[in-house]
Amino acid sequence: MITETVYGKQAVRACLAAGKRQIYRLRALADSRDVEDILRLADRTGVPVERVSKDALNRLSANGAHQGVLLEAAPVPRVSLEAWLDGLRAPRQVAVALDGIEDPRNFGAIIRSAAAFGAAGVLFTERRQAPLSPAAVKAAAGGVEYVPLVTVKNLPDALGRLRDAGFWSTGLDMAGDRDLWSADLSGRVLLVAGGEGRGLRRLVRERCDFLARIPLWPGVESLNVSVATAIALAAARRGESPAPPYRP
């Protein structure tokens, strides 16, 4: 049985509430009184609860950033590109593709923003990319439970397949030929974010339909990739409102 650890209050709460994957056990700090809502949620969903010491949670979470709770659960589901495309029906879609994000915290933060702005999916390769580790899941703050995670074997090839499905790929690049505010982000749009430091790879840049830059005031040359992606998602959703019920 393959299991993953999920820790941090937001990530644990979302995993319990979403029902997206099987959960085997919840471990909670023995003397904690501020996780009662999570314990009640575990009880309602039939998840066994074990009260443990802080040292035990520190060891299980590797870095101690558990906030008093930790789940053992089945791995986060991934879907193939074809299965994901087959499930898309609406003409209006916003999605994100990642070209070699190396920091798991950036990976998780991008997933969090994608979920917050109702993205149809986050596309990434399993190679040359930060793993979907417990640290990434915690940084996603529950986002992995709400946004489809789509794995592709080759990102340049995937961009061609997405073009056939009606997506316009917008590469985020500070040397882009147009600014993000004037870019056409209607219809089916894929926002493509490059890795920290090196940005988009050449083949990925060439497969994008256009490159867009975020206008910055003098003094700062670039933004963290997770911040830039969040800004691009907000620009793509400008003028839209989430349909109820709102997804956290």
Side-chain angles (χ1 to χ4, degrees):
M1 179 177 66
I2 300 176
T3 64
E4 291 182 351
T5 57
V6 180
Y7 52 80
K9 292 178 185 177
Q10 287 180 291
V12 167
R13 189 180 292 113
C15 189
L16 287 166
K20 188 175 181 179
R21 47 183 165 151
Q22 187 173 358
I23 302 170
Y24 305 112
R25 176 166 48 180
L26 169 68
R27 288 189 170 102
L29 196 61
D31 57 355
S32 178
R33 296 182 179 275
D34 62 353
V35 295
E36 295 302 319
D37 64 319
I38 293 175
L39 295 175
R40 287 193 295 271
L41 188 55
D43 182 63
R44 287 200 300 271
T45 53
V47 174
V49 176
E50 180 183 348
R51 289 284 198 165
V52 298
S53 67
K54 184 176 181 179
D55 286 344
L57 280 183
N58 287 346
R59 288 194 301 272
L60 290 166
S61 62
N63 59 12
H66 47 70
Q67 298 179 312
V69 285
L70 182 146
L71 281 178
E72 291 179 1
V76 178
R78 281 82 150 170
V79 297
S80 69
L81 179 62
E82 292 303 322
W84 178 69
L85 287 173
D86 287 344
L88 297 180
R89 295 291 181 265
R92 171 59 171 158
Q93 303 285 352
V94 177
V96 176
L98 305 180
D99 181 25
I101 301 299
E102 298 176 355
D103 188 330
R105 291 166 296 184
N106 282 335
F107 189 16
I110 290 170
I111 294 172
R112 181 179 187 175
S113 295
F117 287 103
V122 175
L123 286 67
F124 58 95
T125 61
E126 295 279 15
R127 297 179 58 193
R128 299 176 182 175
Q129 163 78 34
L132 194 59
S133 63
V137 172
K138 183 177 186 296
V144 296
E145 312 298 336
Y146 295 99
V147 63
L149 303 177
V150 185
T151 56
V152 301
K153 292 182 179 180
N154 181 288
L155 186 55
D157 289 348
L159 296 185
R161 177 67 185 88
L162 287 160
R163 181 180 293 113
D164 293 340
F167 278 89
W168 284 82
S169 295
T170 304
L172 303 180
D173 192 308
M174 291 310 299
D177 53 2
R178 66 190 73 182
D179 70 63
L180 190 64
W181 312 144
S182 62
D184 183 359
L185 300 177
S186 60
R188 289 190 166 188
V189 59
L190 181 74
L191 303 169
V192 188
E196 301 90 341
R198 62 167 175 76
L200 298 171
R201 291 175 296 162
R202 179 181 60 83
L203 285 177
V204 173
R205 288 169 58 93
E206 291 175 355
R207 293 292 176 90
C208 289
D209 293 296
F210 59 86
L211 302 177
R213 65 186 183 277
I214 299 173
L216 299 178
W217 270 244
V220 176
E221 296 181 355
S222 63
L223 294 170
N224 172 279
V225 63
S226 66
V227 174
T229 305
I231 291 171
L233 282 161
R237 287 300 194 190
R238 185 171 51 199
E240 299 180 55
S241 297
Y246 174 66
R247 297 185 317 176

